[in-house]
Amino acid sequence: MKELTRKRAACAMPIAGSYRGIDFALSNMTNSHINKVAVFTQYNAGSLNEHLSSSKWWNFGRKQGGLYVFTPAVTAESSVWYRGTADAIAQNLSFLKNSHEPYVVISSGDCVYKMDYNKVLEYHIEKKADITVVCKEMESGANIERYGTIKMNEESRIEEFEEKPVVAKSNTISCGVYVIRRRQLIEMIEKSAEEDRHDFVKDILIRYKDIKRIFGYKIKDYWSNIATVEDYFNTNMDFLKPEIRNYFFRQYPDVYSRVDDNPPAKYNVGAKIRNSLISSGCIVNGTVEDSVIFKKTYIGNNCYIKNSIILNDVYIGDNTHIENCIVESRGTIRANSYYRGENGIEIVVEHNDRYVI
Amino acid sequence: MVKKEMIAMLLAGGQGSRLGVLTSRVAKPAVSFGSKYRIIDFPLSNCINSGVDTVGVLTQYQPLRLNTHIGIGIPWDLDRNIGGVTVLPPYEKSVHSEWYTGTANAIYQNIAYMESFNPEYVLILSGDHIYKMDYEVMLDFHKQNGAEVTIAVMPVPMEEAKRFGIMITDENRRVVDFEEKPEKPRSNLASMGIYIFNWKTLKEALLLNAEQSGLDFGKHIIPYCHKKGAPLYAYEFNGYWKDVGTLNSYWEANMELIDIVPEFNLYEEYWKIYTKCETLPPQYLAPDSIVERSIIGEGSEIYGKVYNSVIGCGVVVGEGTVIRDSIVMNSTEIGRNCELYKAIVAEEVTLEDNVKLGIGEEAPNETDPHIYNHGLVTIGEKSVIPKDVSIGKNTVVFGVTSTEDYKDNYLQSGRTLIKAGEEQ
C-alpha cells in the first residue's frame, strides 16, 4: 500500500468520496442486526480511532451490545503486539467468553461489499458447518496471488485452501468473512494459542480443513479488497459506474459513515466537471474529469484534474495539472504544479504551507 | 442539582403562510434552505456554538417533519444527559387547555420546563431567520449592563424601518421607548425577535399577564417590562441576518449563497452549521453535465446543466435538462430535456421529461398575488408534473397532476393549480 498506509490503517482508507474502508463491514453488521461488534486494531490506528470515536453513526450506541475497540494492551500475562489475526482474538478471549451469542461473524475491515450475514448464517446452519468461509469466483486471468484460494467439492465443502499461492489451483478466493460458532471459535483459538500459532487462516482454516466441516459460501455481488494501491484506485473508480453507485448508494440497505457536517459542494464560474464524484465541502473552480474528489477539497482556477483520486481536505492551487494520481489527504499543492503518473498511479504527498483564503 | 446558566426557548410553531405551498405540510422552520439545511438549523447551531446546550423547541403547526429532523438532537450535539433539545408541543391540562395563542403564551405554557433547569437567564429565539450569532456575547452585554431584558437589534435603512418593531435608545443603549411599525420612525434599530430575560423577570411578567389573550413578546411582555421600569437594553448586531418570510426573500437568500465569497459564508470552519444529513454519498456529475455558480448537496446525480442554482441532496437532474436561477430541494427527480427558470421546487417532486417551468410573459397570480410574485414558479412537495407540460410565471402547482389538468399542456402565467388537500 506504499505511502498511503504510512498515515493510516487500510481499513481507515477513504473510499468513494464519503466513506472509509471499515464503514462497509460495520454497516453490514448493523444492517444484519448484529449489535455487538469488536474491532481489533493495531497498525497506525489514529485515523481509525478518530473515525470510530462515536459508535452512533452505525447505530451501535446501545445498552445491549455496542462497539468495542481492542488495541494490544500490556497485561499481567502478556505484553506483546497482536502477532496475527488469531492472536488478536486470543488476547481478548475474555470478551468472547463473556458473550452469550451463539455465533460469531469475522470480517476484515478493508473490503468494500454489501452483505446480509444472516444469509451466510442460515447457510452455515443448513450445512451443519463448523466454519463457513465467504468466497467469490474471480474472473479468469485476475491477479489473485495475494488472496487465499479455495477449492470446494460438489457440496461446497472446502477441500483445499491455499494462502497467497504463487500458482493458484482455483480462481475462487476467500473474501475474509467467516461464520463460526462462538464456542467452536474459543476452542480453536485456545488450542492455537497453546501451540503458539497466531494466524487464523494458516493455523486454523488450513490446519483444520480435513477434520472440521469447513464450507464455502459463494457470492456473486460486488466485493473488492483495497489492500494494494492498484485495487484501492480501481475500487474508487468503480463508483463512477452507475450500476455500482446504484447498488451501494440507492439500494436498501444504506452504508453508514461518520457525519462530517460539511457544507454543500460549490461550483464557481469556470468549473467544468465530467464523469466525476464530488463530495461535500468541496469548492471547485477548475476542470475535473473521470476522478473521485473527497471531502473539503479546494480546486483552484484553471486546474486540470484527470483520472485521479484527491483525498480529504486537499488544497490545489491555480493552474495545476494532476493526472493518474492519488493525492494524499490534507495536502497542499502549490499553484502551477504538474503531476502525472507515467507508469501507473503516482501517489502525491505534498505538505506545503497553506495560504488562508 | 440541575443548574443551567442560560437556556434557550425556540419558537418554531408558526406556519409562515407567506411561503405559500412550501409550508402547506411543514412548519416554516423545517423548510429546506441552502441545499442541505433547514431553516431551524441556523438558530440550533448558533445555540450549541454559543455554549447553550439546553433548548426547548416550541412546535404547533405541522410538526412531523420538524420532529423527525430534530429527533434527539444528535446532529447539533444536543443529545445530553441533562438538558439537550426538547420538543414542546401544546398539551392538555386539567383546566384551561389551549393551543399556543401567542409567542409569549407558548413560553408561559412551558414555565415548568424552564423552571426544571433552574436558569439565571432565558434566551428567546425564533425559528425562521438565517444568521450566525454568538449568544454568549449578547449575554455578556446583558450582564455588563445589569439589564433585566436585552433585545437584539440591527440597524436597517430608515425607509424600511417602518416594517419593523423599532427601539429608541439612549447613548448607553438603554431602551427609552419603542414603537411597532411606526409611520415616522425615530430610530433605525429594528428588533430581531431575539431576547435575553432574567428568568425572574420573565416568569413574573408571564404570570402577571397570563390572562392576556394572544400573549405576545413585542405587544405585551416587552411593554410590560418597560412600564414597570426594568432596565431594557438593545444589543446591536451587525452581521448577516435574513428574514426569509416571503417566497422572494427566501429565493434571494438562497441565491446569495452561490456568490464567489458569499456574505453569508457556510464554509467557515469556526462557526459550523449542523444539520441532520440522511444522504451521505458524494454527488455524481456526468460526462455531459455543466454546473456553474451553484451549490449541490450530497448524493445528487447531475446529467444536465445547472447554472446559478441551489440543488438539494439526492436530486436527479436528467440529460438535456437546463436549470437556471432555481432552488431544487431534496430527493426531487427531474426528467430529461426539462427547463427551469426561477423556479422553487420543493422536496420529493417528480418532473417528467420535457417539463418547462417559468416561461412566457409575467402575469399576476390569480389567487394569491401577495405570495406568488416576482416571476417565481413554486412547486409544492411530492407534486408530480406530467411530461411535455409548460408552466408560466407567478404560478403555483401542488399535488399529483396529470395531463388532463393542463389545457394544451400549458399552465398560463399567474395560474394556481392546487390538487392536494392539507392532509393527504
Side-chain angles (χ1 to χ4, degrees):
Chain A
M1 203 57 170
K2 295 194 232 167
E3 296 95 322
L4 292 173
T5 47
R6 259 168 81 171
K7 200 155 156 177
R8 56 180 102 65
C11 59
M13 284 300 294
I15 301 281
S18 310
Y19 303 92
R20 301 253 178 187
I22 198 169
D23 289 336
F24 293 88
L26 288 180
S27 299
N28 289 336
M29 290 191 176
T30 190
N31 289 331
S32 304
H33 309 293
I34 297 174
N35 55 19
K36 191 172 190 181
V37 175
V39 176
F40 298 100
T41 165
Q42 163 163 290
Y43 175 79
N44 230 347
S47 283
L48 185 64
N49 288 342
E50 190 190 330
H51 190 63
L52 300 180
S53 63
S54 171
S55 59
K56 59 180 133 186
W57 315 119
W58 302 275
N59 230 332
F60 289 135
R62 305 285 117 201
K63 286 203 313 194
Q64 314 241 329
L67 185 71
Y68 299 78
V69 179
F70 291 114
T71 47
V74 177
T75 64
E77 290 85 38
S78 88
S79 59
V80 287
W81 295 99
Y82 293 154
R83 288 160 291 183
T85 42
D87 188 44
I89 303 175
Q91 289 196 30
N92 298 287
L93 204 59
S94 58
F95 173 77
L96 269 185
K97 284 183 164 170
N98 294 338
S99 297
H100 58 84
E101 290 81 358
Y103 293 97
V104 181
V105 174
I106 301 174
S107 171
S108 60
D110 56 359
C111 297
V112 175
Y113 67 111
K114 252 187 181 181
M115 184 179 290
D116 183 352
Y117 299 121
N118 291 308
K119 298 241 166 70
V120 190
L121 179 60
E122 273 168 35
Y123 175 90
H124 178 84
I125 293 168
E126 183 202 318
K127 289 282 183 188
K128 296 190 172 65
D130 288 312
I131 304 175
T132 299
V133 179
V134 174
C135 55
K136 184 175 170 73
E137 200 159 324
M138 301 299 268
E139 285 165 30
S140 56
N143 180 10
I144 53 173
E145 63 178 38
R146 59 186 195 82
Y147 297 112
T149 61
I150 287 169
K151 221 169 156 187
M152 295 185 279
N153 68 12
E154 58 280 5
E155 54 156 354
S156 297
R157 186 162 172 182
I158 291 175
E159 288 180 326
E160 279 190 57
F161 197 121
E162 288 182 293
E163 182 67 340
K164 299 176 181 149
V166 179
V167 181
K169 291 181 191 144
S170 136
N171 61 347
T172 303
I173 60 153
S174 161
C175 295
V177 178
Y178 318 101
V179 170
I180 182 168
R181 227 173 65 244
R182 183 174 57 91
R183 287 179 191 287
Q184 176 79 73
L185 178 64
I186 292 171
E187 187 193 313
M188 286 172 157
I189 293 282
E190 279 183 331
K191 193 124 187 285
S192 299
E194 271 168 33
E195 296 166 354
D196 245 351
R197 296 174 187 274
H198 304 305
D199 189 69
F200 188 76
V201 174
K202 246 185 15 235
D203 301 325
I204 292 182
L205 288 182
I206 295 179
R207 258 168 70 83
Y208 284 92
K209 74 175 188 312
D210 297 326
I211 31 170
K212 292 290 181 187
R213 291 170 59 82
I214 305 184
F215 282 78
Y217 175 87
K218 254 190 199 174
I219 53 163
K220 291 210 168 68
D221 296 322
Y222 185 91
W223 177 91
S224 174
N225 178 280
I226 54 164
T228 68
V229 171
E230 198 192 353
D231 285 338
Y232 176 70
F233 186 85
N234 292 336
T235 302
N236 274 296
M237 289 302 172
D238 279 344
F239 282 86
L240 293 177
K241 299 174 189 155
E243 66 275 12
I244 303 286
R245 276 202 314 280
N246 185 39
Y247 176 63
F248 279 103
F249 297 163
R250 294 204 170 230
Q251 278 177 31
Y252 178 85
D254 285 343
V255 183
Y256 311 105
S257 186
R258 199 169 93 121
V259 172
D260 264 349
D261 299 300
N262 292 316
K266 185 155 180 252
Y267 303 88
N268 290 328
V269 176
K272 280 197 194 70
I273 291 100
R274 305 268 184 272
N275 188 37
S276 295
L277 285 169
I278 312 284
S279 308
S280 59
C282 289
I283 301 179
V284 186
N285 296 298
T287 303
V288 180
E289 283 180 16
D290 309 316
S291 296
V292 179
I293 313 294
F294 285 71
K295 296 175 189 173
K296 278 177 72 184
T297 293
Y298 175 86
I299 297 174
N301 290 313
N302 200 26
C303 285
Y304 181 75
I305 310 222
K306 166 115 184 138
N307 195 39
S308 293
I309 293 174
I310 316 288
L311 297 184
N312 294 312
D313 197 10
V314 172
Y315 180 94
I316 299 175
D318 295 350
N319 311 317
T320 293
H321 180 110
I322 296 175
E323 198 173 346
N324 307 333
C325 290
I326 299 177
V327 179
E328 177 58 295
S329 60
R330 298 195 172 78
T332 298
I333 296 194
R334 286 206 182 99
N336 309 313
S337 306
Y338 186 93
Y339 297 93
R340 186 159 189 270
E342 297 295 344
N343 308 304
I345 303 305
E346 188 184 322
I347 294 170
V348 179
V349 185
E350 281 281 359
H351 293 288
N352 301 307
D353 286 340
R354 186 172 301 191
Y355 303 108
V356 178
I357 38 169
Chain B
M1 185 185 138
V2 176
K3 172 84 191 157
K4 298 275 180 187
E5 188 185 26
M6 181 160 79
I7 65 168
M9 298 296 274
L10 210 169
L11 297 155
Q15 177 183 359
S17 54
R18 287 174 302 158
L19 288 181
V21 291
L22 295 188
T23 53
S24 281
R25 291 211 199 115
V26 293
K28 181 173 159 191
V31 169
S32 122
F33 182 85
S35 171
K36 65 187 287 191
Y37 304 100
R38 295 186 189 277
I39 296 173
I40 197 171
D41 292 334
F42 297 89
L44 278 181
S45 302
N46 286 339
C47 280
I48 196 69
N49 289 339
S50 308
V52 177
D53 69 358
T54 305
V55 185
V57 179
L58 298 115
T59 61
Q60 173 156 287
Y61 176 80
Q62 289 281 19
L64 177 63
R65 180 88 43 89
L66 200 52
N67 292 346
T68 320
H69 184 65
I70 294 170
I72 59 166
I74 287 178
W76 306 273
D77 253 348
L78 286 170
D79 50 327
R80 300 281 164 144
N81 290 337
I82 297 167
V85 65
T86 309
V87 176
L88 302 166
Y91 55 95
E92 195 180 337
K93 306 163 195 71
S94 53
V95 283
H96 292 309
S97 297
E98 57 177 355
W99 293 101
Y100 294 153
T101 58
T103 49
N105 176 267
I107 304 292
Y108 165 73
Q109 292 196 39
N110 289 287
I111 283 183
Y113 169 81
M114 294 181 284
E115 192 93 291
S116 70
F117 294 104
N118 194 15
E120 290 293 315
Y121 309 101
V122 176
L123 171 68
I124 308 287
L125 302 169
S126 77
D128 41 13
H129 298 135
I130 308 295
Y131 64 110
K132 294 180 189 175
M133 181 173 177
D134 192 340
Y135 304 131
E136 212 174 357
V137 177
M138 182 172 166
L139 179 62
D140 288 344
F141 174 89
H142 180 84
K143 288 184 200 164
Q144 268 165 23
N145 289 301
E148 285 189 34
V149 186
T150 297
I151 301 152
V153 294
M154 63 183 302
V156 293
M158 218 47 179
E159 55 272 26
E160 281 186 37
K162 57 176 177 286
R163 289 173 39 224
F164 296 92
I166 293 298
M167 300 289 146
I168 297 113
T169 63
D170 66 13
E171 65 278 14
N172 297 320
R173 290 281 177 230
R174 185 166 172 159
V175 176
V176 294
D177 202 1
F178 46 84
E179 17 189 44
E180 191 68 19
K181 297 183 182 156
E183 269 308 312
K184 286 202 181 76
R186 286 186 280 155
S187 139
N188 68 337
L189 297 177
S191 166
M192 299 160 68
I194 299 168
Y195 312 103
I196 291 178
F197 281 91
N198 285 358
W199 169 230
K200 265 194 206 135
T201 310
L202 176 63
K203 191 177 164 189
E204 185 208 296
L206 290 173
L207 289 171
L208 285 173
N209 292 285
E211 298 305 314
Q212 173 71 46
S213 69
L215 189 62
D216 184 88
F217 277 101
K219 286 197 200 98
H220 308 116
I221 297 296
I222 300 293
Y224 167 81
C225 293
H226 185 57
K227 215 165 92 192
K228 75 162 197 182
L232 265 64
Y233 279 81
Y235 169 74
E236 189 176 323
F237 177 75
N238 284 301
Y240 182 96
W241 182 83
K242 196 92 181 178
D243 176 24
V244 288
T246 65
L247 278 176
N248 190 52
S249 65
Y250 172 81
W251 179 83
E252 275 179 4
N254 271 282
M255 290 301 136
E256 282 167 11
L257 296 173
I258 58 180
D259 292 338
I260 295 267
V261 180
E263 196 186 337
F264 188 71
N265 197 342
L266 295 168
Y267 295 80
E268 282 167 347
E269 274 294 314
Y270 54 85
W271 202 271
K272 271 195 178 184
I273 304 300
Y274 304 97
T275 187
K276 182 178 181 220
C277 189
E278 285 146 54
T279 27
L280 290 166
Q283 50 202 266
Y284 175 74
L285 275 65
D288 296 322
S289 68
I290 297 178
V291 178
E292 241 184 33
R293 267 182 61 87
S294 296
I295 56 174
I296 301 185
E298 280 95 326
S300 288
E301 306 235 329
I302 313 291
Y303 296 89
K305 301 173 173 55
V306 180
Y307 305 95
N308 298 334
S309 295
V310 173
I311 311 285
C313 302
V315 173
V316 180
V317 176
E319 257 171 73
T321 289
V322 179
I323 300 180
R324 279 183 198 276
D325 308 320
S326 296
I327 299 166
V328 180
M329 301 185 201
N330 296 351
S331 308
T332 281
E333 298 207 8
I334 300 175
R336 292 156 189 245
N337 303 317
C338 294
E339 289 172 30
L340 280 71
Y341 301 103
K342 244 189 133 172
I344 300 176
V345 182
E347 296 171 49
E348 294 176 60
V349 169
T350 306
L351 302 185
E352 292 179 4
D353 296 349
N354 303 316
V355 167
K356 296 182 173 51
L357 303 183
I359 56 165
E361 295 297 310
E362 288 234 11
N365 184 267
E366 56 183 358
T367 53
D368 305 281
H370 59 292
I371 297 177
Y372 306 106
N373 44 40
H374 288 84
L376 289 163
V377 182
T378 310
I379 313 290
E381 64 172 40
K382 295 186 181 134
S383 297
V384 175
I385 297 181
K387 66 176 175 20
D388 303 324
V389 163
S390 297
I391 292 176
K393 294 177 172 137
N394 297 326
T395 47
V396 54
V397 179
F398 186 28
V400 179
T401 63
S402 57
T403 316
E404 292 82 69
D405 298 315
Y406 302 89
K407 193 169 170 263
D408 304 324
N409 278 339
Y410 184 56
L411 187 74
Q412 280 174 326
S413 290
R415 298 297 299 273
T416 297
L417 175 57
I418 295 185
K419 281 191 83 185
E422 188 173 312
E423 306 298 332
Q424 203 176 44

